[in-house]
Amino acid sequence: MGAESSKKSSPKASAPTKVHIADQEITWTNWYQHVNWLNITLIVAIPIIGLYYSMYTPLYRKTAIWAVLYYFATGFGITAGYHRCWAHCSYTATLPLKIFLAAVGGGAVEGSIRWWSRDHRAHHRYTDTDKDPYSVRKGLLYSHLGWMVMKQNPKRIGRTDISDLNEDSVVVWQHKNYLTVVIFMGLIFPALVAGLGWGDYLGGFVYAGILRIFFVQQATFCVNSLAHWLGEQPFDDRNSPRDHIITALVTLGEGYHNFHHEFPSDYRNAIEWFQYDPTKWFIWTMKQLGLAYDLKQFRTNEIEKGRLQQQQKKLDRIRARLDWGIQLENLPVMEFEEFQEQARNGRALITVAGVVHDMTSFIKDHPGGKAMINSGIGKDATAMFNGGVYNHSNAAHNLLSNFRVAVIRGGCEVEIWKQAQRENKDVEAITD
Amino acid sequence: MGAESSKKSSPKASAPTKVHIADQEITWTNWYQHVNWLNITLIVAIPIIGLYYSMYTPLYRKTAIWAVLYYFATGFGITAGYHRCWAHCSYTATLPLKIFLAAVGGGAVEGSIRWWSRDHRAHHRYTDTDKDPYSVRKGLLYSHLGWMVMKQNPKRIGRTDISDLNEDSVVVWQHKNYLTVVIFMGLIFPALVAGLGWGDYLGGFVYAGILRIFFVQQATFCVNSLAHWLGEQPFDDRNSPRDHIITALVTLGEGYHNFHHEFPSDYRNAIEWFQYDPTKWFIWTMKQLGLAYDLKQFRTNEIEKGRLQQQQKKLDRIRARLDWGIQLENLPVMEFEEFQEQARNGRALITVAGVVHDMTSFIKDHPGGKAMINSGIGKDATAMFNGGVYNHSNAAHNLLSNFRVAVIRGGCEVEIWKQAQRENKDVEAITD
Ligand code: HEM
Ligand code: HEM
Ligand SMILES: [Fe+2]
Ligand SMILES: [Fe+2]
Ligand SMILES: [Fe+2]
Ligand SMILES: [Fe+2]
């Protein structure tokens, strides 16, 4: 089978098939072919034009408020609609809500639901790999804009299952009529509202239309860039997603992105009440209004397990870096007599829990004083050390491991055993 | 031996020996005997008198500055002198520095070095027990003032080794001449400086003397109260000591008290450069001036070990509270054929790593979609789950344990083994 397929592909490999432009090097002669001119127009050129016109267009208070409101509406179209409803099915929207989200989401000018969700599922499934359409490993700017502004080989992007979207009539309709939706919801509708409402067609077009598009785009693009670059990783640090309040503020609550990549089908991004996640509040409100149902949520138990394991990972890393003394199995074995002998001859040896410690360098530093520690020399000080005289702190226990020099044959009960033997009691002699 | 000593003590126990006042109940007729009137005078009455006089004493700028300076000097007498030098021997002071510290420490009016250090050593050795002279377990107010204001049975307080202090001539001299030292350094000296310096004898007496004593006392008493009550426990939470910046600000840097109880002979209380520990800075400066040496310091490795273990303890507590699914040893064993049979009959069973999971309730919630998870039903999906199709997150691995229903006899390699058997390969039949 393997041989067969390689035979089949070999003529293909040798034939000079057309290499996709994205896989060719950028040169002085082909650079313009690398650029996605449509996207450059939508993302860069139009905002510049809008900025130019805004200098000649007075901004009325009503139009300003409308622009901000429409900014939030179209933002929710992306976050609550495109992202949490369609890409992740984290809740179910009723038809009226779907139509609303598909409309205002279209007004954000970020592609159709179908196209956006396909790419986004690939982003989750292949995060940080070459199959991730906006992998941050290719640079922050690439993940923010570059992937749209430069042409991409569509074959590179990981495949995902979007059969559910193909069965969703709202998604299919929006995809088919995408150009109409974009022009109407992106530009005409905001102009109409301002025009029919208070006669400011031009202001509505420039501020609630063009410039608002720019802000919504840049804000939501941050989910692909900033959210993979800035902040903490409380649930998993193997990949790039991160949690940060700044990202959340910019992206209507999509800033708890480490959580989100771990629990993508949770309708929440922020799990604490004090974190900023207006998209979650929006979805919750829709539920109260009967417009959304089946809000999915991972159990707190599962979330806490994830957090715990990540913290454990961090601790284990620290633990591995620290010095825990010579391993017991690498220490020489010493007879209790020899230990006593050496201690009598002036070596400051103390046995604790079957391990011989040379305390010479520590005696003068002992926080409990010289007399105390000296009283343990040549003895099995296990009981003294563990509360008999003083119940030493954790720090003291740790410190001990620095001074290990040997282990006692027979372990820490050796003294009791010797004692019993001397008294001719019935003790089995342990020899090995 | 044991029998002998109990015989000796028995007449003593039965004889009606005088019970110490502290061990008697407080009543309307004996309450005044419970009060330590000397300490009430030193700690409560004198400050009130000072406050009264201050209303009739103008406060000059020079005197105010002098009072603050002398506040710091006498404060360091306690923190750098009494506490870190004598009680804990965390560094060695030269004779001139010792004399300075014994003098200004006396000016703080908190008892002699010898008395203070003995109690403080008992406090460390018997922290939070009845033998602790100022155990916070008896109440915040008790640990702050109560233990001085009310009479204590001296026999109750734990015994400690102060042989080193009895050999220190400065300590012995200060103890013998304590009353002289207190009156001179506490009241006369501050009055003299202000009087001879700028003619303000009365101001020096009231502000740099009486009122300054009150502030220094209350501030340093906080080490016994606030430092055992407010803040975090990064090194050990079995006892009461805590770390808090507020305590540090009030006590010239003695606020990192959880660290201090764990590493009492470290000349530092704060280990980070950005934490407030002026006493540490003072000692360090003395070292630069050649007035102090042998500054003791625990290795960072030891400190980090302590911090790590405390964090581990916290994690282990959380871990114990969480639900980790049914233990593998409590699951029934299932033949692979039976597993396949049940799956064919409509039960959504999936095997991962030798464990059978019933995914019925989860299929509709699967973030990777229904199709994907359905493709694993009736199969050993270990490879699929672990990267073959999708490399699942940590959260997904955790989630699995919720759905455990059985373990496969022979474990997860059973399919490969069956396959090989069908193909009549040489595989040993494992039966048990
Ligand atoms: C054998 C190695 C020893 C080490 C590494 C060691 C270490 C320490 C350390 C780090 C402390 C500081 C406070 C604490 O941990 O709670 C301490 C305090 C103390 N140690 Fe040890 N110690 C040793 C042996 C002994 C022995 C044999 C005795 C008594 C027979 C003893 C008696 C004390 C006492 C009474 C204190 C309390 C001092 C105070 O807080 O004022 N130590 N020791
Ligand atoms: C057997 C129990 C299963 C559980 C508990 C489970 C759980 C999960 C969870 C929690 C996620 C969210 C993202 C992540 O963890 O990285 C996920 C995503 C995914 N799962 Fe599963 N899964 C199971 C089985 C399967 C199987 C058998 C397949 C494929 C044959 C599969 C394919 C996928 C894919 C492709 C994704 C990525 C979806 C995306 O992010 O867009 N899963 N799964
Ligand atoms: Fe992401
Ligand atoms: Fe997502
Ligand atoms: Fe303390
Ligand atoms: Fe202390």
Side-chain angles (χ1 to χ4, degrees):
Chain A
M1 233 284 276
E4 252 175 46
S5 67
S6 77
K7 242 183 246 165
K8 259 184 204 152
S9 63
S10 57
K12 213 176 165 190
S14 58
T17 48
K18 198 164 153 38
V19 177
H20 190 276
I21 182 72
D23 300 328
Q24 294 172 32
E25 235 179 293
I26 302 182
T27 62
W28 282 111
T29 52
N30 78 356
W31 67 271
Y32 64 91
Q33 295 179 306
H34 274 272
V35 175
N36 184 327
W37 291 106
L38 175 66
N39 284 347
I40 280 276
T41 312
L42 292 173
I43 300 171
V44 183
I46 293 190
I48 293 177
I49 297 170
L51 209 66
Y52 175 78
Y53 275 107
S54 72
M55 291 191 292
Y56 303 97
T57 314
L59 175 60
Y60 297 106
R61 217 165 71 110
K62 279 186 182 165
T63 309
I65 293 171
W66 164 236
V68 170
L69 285 179
Y70 199 52
Y71 166 89
F72 275 93
T74 48
F76 283 139
I78 296 296
T79 60
Y82 279 44
H83 187 215
R84 301 199 198 177
C85 174
W86 283 294
H88 291 305
C89 315
S90 72
Y91 68 98
T92 311
T94 53
L95 189 63
L97 182 57
K98 270 192 187 170
I99 292 171
F100 171 75
L101 291 169
V104 290
V109 195
E110 301 191 7
S112 73
I113 299 166
R114 193 169 169 276
W115 173 85
W116 197 101
S117 297
R118 195 206 57 202
D119 266 19
H120 192 72
R121 286 185 188 177
H123 165 66
H124 272 266
R125 184 162 167 184
Y126 304 104
T127 313
D128 294 344
T129 70
D130 195 48
K131 290 183 171 179
D132 176 351
Y134 23 86
S135 168
V136 77
R137 299 264 189 259
K138 297 183 181 172
L140 188 64
L141 203 62
Y142 176 86
S143 67
H144 190 75
L145 277 177
W147 68 281
M148 288 174 287
V149 159
M150 304 303 284
K151 280 200 189 127
Q152 305 297 324
N153 186 346
K155 285 192 192 132
R156 175 179 64 78
I157 286 141
R159 286 189 52 210
T160 49
D161 175 11
I162 52 163
S163 50
D164 55 322
L165 300 178
N166 289 334
E167 281 162 20
D168 186 322
S169 52
V170 176
V171 174
V172 173
W173 187 90
Q174 199 232 33
H175 189 70
K176 276 197 189 136
N177 302 282
Y178 184 61
L179 205 65
T180 321
V181 173
V182 158
I183 295 175
F184 185 76
M185 294 305 296
L187 300 170
I188 299 177
F189 177 70
L192 273 182
V193 169
L196 299 175
W198 50 94
D200 187 19
Y201 284 99
L202 186 66
F205 185 77
V206 171
Y207 292 107
I210 297 178
L211 287 183
R212 190 263 322 148
I213 290 177
F214 172 72
F215 282 107
V216 162
Q217 283 178 341
Q218 295 300 320
T220 45
F221 294 168
C222 283
V223 182
N224 299 334
S225 52
L226 214 54
H228 283 262
W229 186 73
L230 176 73
E232 299 285 299
Q233 305 194 298
F235 298 98
D236 199 344
D237 63 3
R238 287 175 299 182
N239 292 327
S240 62
R242 284 158 192 277
D243 283 6
H244 204 286
I245 174 73
I246 290 183
T247 318
L249 287 173
V250 172
T251 61
L252 299 177
E254 305 276 31
Y256 307 96
H257 207 62
N258 195 259
F259 173 83
H260 172 66
H261 269 261
E262 201 71 2
F263 304 101
S265 58
D266 197 307
Y267 87 96
R268 307 162 302 172
N269 245 5
I271 46 173
E272 311 286 355
W273 63 267
F274 54 82
Q275 292 173 323
Y276 180 76
D277 187 355
T279 301
K280 174 181 78 178
W281 305 331
F282 175 83
I283 296 169
W284 184 87
T285 309
M286 290 304 118
K287 187 194 165 180
Q288 308 309 313
L289 298 176
L291 291 167
Y293 54 96
D294 265 0
L295 275 54
K296 286 187 201 157
Q297 205 171 314
F298 279 81
R299 273 171 68 204
T300 310
N301 186 63
E302 297 309 304
I303 296 168
E304 290 311 315
K305 269 152 82 174
R307 204 197 293 276
L308 179 86
Q309 286 160 331
Q310 175 58 29
Q311 286 177 337
Q312 186 62 61
K313 221 157 105 182
K314 277 190 202 160
L315 287 195
D316 291 345
R317 262 178 229 149
I318 298 172
R319 182 176 291 112
R321 272 206 314 268
L322 294 173
D323 167 15
W324 297 89
I326 303 173
Q327 289 292 288
L328 292 185
E329 52 272 30
N330 299 336
L331 289 172
V333 179
M334 199 184 248
E335 298 293 336
F336 198 73
E337 285 79 8
E338 201 191 321
F339 155 71
Q340 290 176 306
E341 177 71 29
Q342 289 202 16
R344 263 195 302 275
N345 292 342
R347 205 175 161 201
L349 295 187
I350 291 184
T351 296
V352 175
V355 181
V356 182
H357 305 87
D358 186 340
M359 305 309 299
T360 315
S361 64
F362 184 69
I363 291 177
K364 65 170 189 344
D365 292 330
H366 180 230
K370 278 180 210 163
M372 287 284 179
I373 197 164
N374 279 333
S375 74
I377 291 178
K379 291 187 194 145
D380 182 337
T382 313
M384 277 187 209
F385 190 83
N386 285 320
V389 175
Y390 177 62
N391 192 1
H392 280 80
S393 67
N394 200 26
H397 282 267
N398 285 336
L399 210 54
L400 266 182
S401 66
N402 291 316
F403 305 110
R404 289 174 181 167
V405 289
V407 290
I408 290 286
R409 186 177 306 283
C412 59
E413 270 119 35
V414 94
E415 226 192 339
I416 300 161
W417 172 70
K418 293 259 165 195
Q419 178 73 24
Q421 225 182 23
R422 241 177 323 221
E423 294 169 11
N424 275 321
K425 296 239 175 84
D426 182 28
V427 176
E428 229 180 280
I430 305 153
T431 38
D432 53 353
Chain B
M1 229 281 278
E4 254 175 43
S5 67
S6 77
K7 242 183 247 165
K8 259 183 201 156
S9 61
S10 57
K12 213 178 166 190
S14 57
T17 48
K18 202 167 146 38
V19 178
H20 190 276
I21 181 73
D23 300 329
Q24 295 171 31
E25 236 179 290
I26 302 183
T27 63
W28 283 110
T29 52
N30 78 357
W31 67 269
Y32 64 90
Q33 294 179 309
H34 274 273
V35 174
N36 184 328
W37 292 105
L38 175 66
N39 284 346
I40 280 277
T41 313
L42 291 173
I43 299 172
V44 183
I46 293 190
I48 292 176
I49 298 170
L51 208 64
Y52 175 80
Y53 275 107
S54 71
M55 293 192 289
Y56 304 96
T57 315
L59 175 60
Y60 298 106
R61 219 166 71 109
K62 280 188 179 163
T63 310
I65 293 172
W66 164 234
V68 170
L69 285 179
Y70 199 51
Y71 166 88
F72 274 94
T74 49
F76 283 138
I78 297 295
T79 61
Y82 279 45
H83 187 216
R84 301 198 197 178
C85 175
W86 283 295
H88 292 303
C89 314
S90 72
Y91 68 100
T92 312
T94 53
L95 190 62
L97 181 59
K98 271 191 187 173
I99 292 170
F100 171 76
L101 290 169
V104 290
V109 194
E110 302 190 7
S112 73
I113 298 167
R114 192 167 171 278
W115 173 85
W116 196 102
S117 298
R118 193 207 58 203
D119 267 17
H120 192 74
R121 287 185 187 178
H123 165 67
H124 272 265
R125 184 160 169 186
Y126 304 103
T127 314
D128 294 342
T129 70
D130 194 51
K131 291 182 170 178
D132 176 351
Y134 23 84
S135 168
V136 78
R137 299 266 190 257
K138 298 183 181 173
L140 188 65
L141 202 66
Y142 176 87
S143 67
H144 190 77
L145 277 177
W147 70 280
M148 288 174 288
V149 160
M150 304 304 281
K151 278 195 189 133
Q152 305 297 324
N153 185 345
K155 282 188 192 136
R156 176 180 64 76
I157 286 140
R159 285 189 54 210
T160 49
D161 175 12
I162 52 163
S163 51
D164 56 322
L165 300 178
N166 290 334
E167 281 162 20
D168 186 322
S169 52
V170 175
V171 174
V172 173
W173 186 89
Q174 198 232 33
H175 189 70
K176 277 198 187 135
N177 303 280
Y178 185 62
L179 205 66
T180 323
V181 171
V182 158
I183 294 173
F184 184 76
M185 292 307 295
L187 299 168
I188 299 176
F189 177 69
L192 273 182
V193 169
L196 299 175
W198 50 95
D200 186 20
Y201 283 99
L202 187 65
F205 185 75
V206 172
Y207 292 106
I210 297 178
L211 288 184
R212 190 262 324 149
I213 290 176
F214 172 71
F215 282 107
V216 161
Q217 283 178 342
Q218 295 300 319
T220 44
F221 293 168
C222 282
V223 182
N224 299 335
S225 53
L226 215 55
H228 283 263
W229 187 73
L230 177 73
E232 299 285 298
Q233 305 194 298
F235 297 100
D236 200 342
D237 62 4
R238 287 175 298 183
N239 292 328
S240 62
R242 285 158 193 276
D243 282 7
H244 205 287
I245 174 75
I246 291 183
T247 318
L249 288 173
V250 172
T251 60
L252 298 177
E254 305 276 32
Y256 306 95
H257 207 62
N258 193 260
F259 174 84
H260 173 64
H261 269 262
E262 200 72 5
F263 304 101
S265 59
D266 198 306
Y267 86 97
R268 307 163 301 172
N269 246 5
I271 47 172
E272 310 289 354
W273 64 265
F274 54 84
Q275 292 173 322
Y276 180 77
D277 187 354
T279 300
K280 174 181 79 178
W281 305 331
F282 174 84
I283 296 169
W284 184 88
T285 309
M286 291 303 118
K287 187 194 165 179
Q288 308 309 312
L289 299 175
L291 291 167
Y293 54 98
D294 265 358
L295 275 52
K296 285 186 200 158
Q297 202 170 317
F298 278 82
R299 272 171 69 205
T300 309
N301 185 60
E302 297 309 305
I303 296 168
E304 290 311 316
K305 270 152 82 174
R307 203 196 293 276
L308 179 86
Q309 286 160 331
Q310 176 57 29
Q311 285 176 338
Q312 187 63 62
K313 222 158 102 182
K314 278 189 200 159
L315 287 195
D316 291 345
R317 263 178 228 150
I318 298 173
R319 182 176 291 112
R321 273 206 314 269
L322 294 174
D323 167 16
W324 297 89
I326 304 172
Q327 289 292 290
L328 292 186
E329 50 273 30
N330 299 334
L331 289 173
V333 179
M334 198 185 252
E335 299 293 336
F336 197 72
E337 284 79 9
E338 201 191 322
F339 157 69
Q340 289 176 307
E341 178 71 27
Q342 290 202 17
R344 263 195 301 276
N345 294 339
R347 207 175 161 201
L349 295 186
I350 290 184
T351 297
V352 175
V355 181
V356 182
H357 305 87
D358 185 341
M359 305 308 298
T360 314
S361 64
F362 185 68
I363 291 178
K364 64 169 191 342
D365 293 332
H366 180 230
K370 277 180 210 164
M372 286 285 181
I373 197 165
N374 278 334
S375 74
I377 292 178
K379 293 188 192 144
D380 183 335
T382 313
M384 277 187 211
F385 189 84
N386 285 321
V389 175
Y390 177 60
N391 193 1
H392 279 80
S393 68
N394 200 25
H397 281 268
N398 285 336
L399 212 52
L400 266 181
S401 66
N402 291 315
F403 304 109
R404 289 174 180 165
V405 289
V407 290
I408 291 286
R409 186 179 308 283
C412 58
E413 270 120 34
V414 95
E415 225 191 340
I416 299 161
W417 172 69
K418 292 262 166 194
Q419 178 73 26
Q421 225 181 24
R422 241 177 323 219
E423 294 169 11
N424 275 321
K425 296 239 175 84
D426 182 29
V427 177
E428 230 179 280
I430 306 152
T431 37
D432 53 352

